[in-house]
Amino acid sequence: MYLTTDVKKKFFSEHGGSETNTGSAEAQIALFSHRINHLTEHLKRNRKDFGTQRSLIALVGKRRKLLNYLMNTDINRYRAIVAKLGLRK
C-alpha cells in the first residue's frame, strides 16, 4: 500500500502542524495531492481503468474546493501551500 499510517503522519506533521491535526486544510490538500500524483501515474500505465479515472476527478474537485476555501479565508496560507506543493494556479 502506498499510503501507510507513517506516510500520513508525515504529511500531517509537515503541513498540519502535528500528527494529530488531520483536519487542517493544508494537511488535507497535501494528502490529496499525494493521492492525485499516485493515481495519475497509475492511469498512465492503465489507460482503461475508468473507476480510477472517476476517483481521480473527484479528488481533484475536493482539492480545488479546499484550495478555494483557503484562498477565501486566509490568502497567506493559500499562497504558502501552493508554493510548498508546487501547484499551478
Side-chain angles (χ1 to χ4, degrees):
M1 182 89 186
Y2 74 98
L3 199 56
T4 61
T5 306
D6 296 331
V7 173
K8 285 183 184 179
K9 284 182 181 180
K10 183 186 78 153
F11 278 114
F12 294 141
S13 64
E14 281 180 18
H15 301 286
S18 71
E19 292 179 358
T20 58
N21 190 5
T22 60
S24 72
E26 290 93 342
Q28 292 292 316
I29 290 169
L31 189 64
F32 287 161
S33 296
H34 178 72
R35 290 176 61 194
I36 286 169
N37 291 337
H38 177 74
L39 290 178
T40 302
E41 291 301 318
H42 172 78
L43 280 174
K44 286 180 183 176
R45 293 186 308 270
N46 305 292
R47 297 181 62 196
K48 294 188 178 184
D49 189 356
F50 298 115
T52 301
Q53 184 178 6
R54 184 173 186 273
S55 64
L56 174 65
I57 292 170
L59 265 178
V60 170
K62 283 183 180 183
R63 183 178 71 178
R64 182 76 257 157
K65 285 179 186 177
L66 275 174
L67 283 169
N68 286 340
Y69 164 76
L70 201 56
M71 184 171 59
N72 291 331
T73 56
D74 191 357
I75 193 71
N76 293 329
R77 286 172 50 198
Y78 169 79
R79 288 180 181 151
I81 193 70
V82 168
K84 194 172 198 179
L85 294 177
L87 301 175
R88 294 183 301 184
K89 179 77 177 165

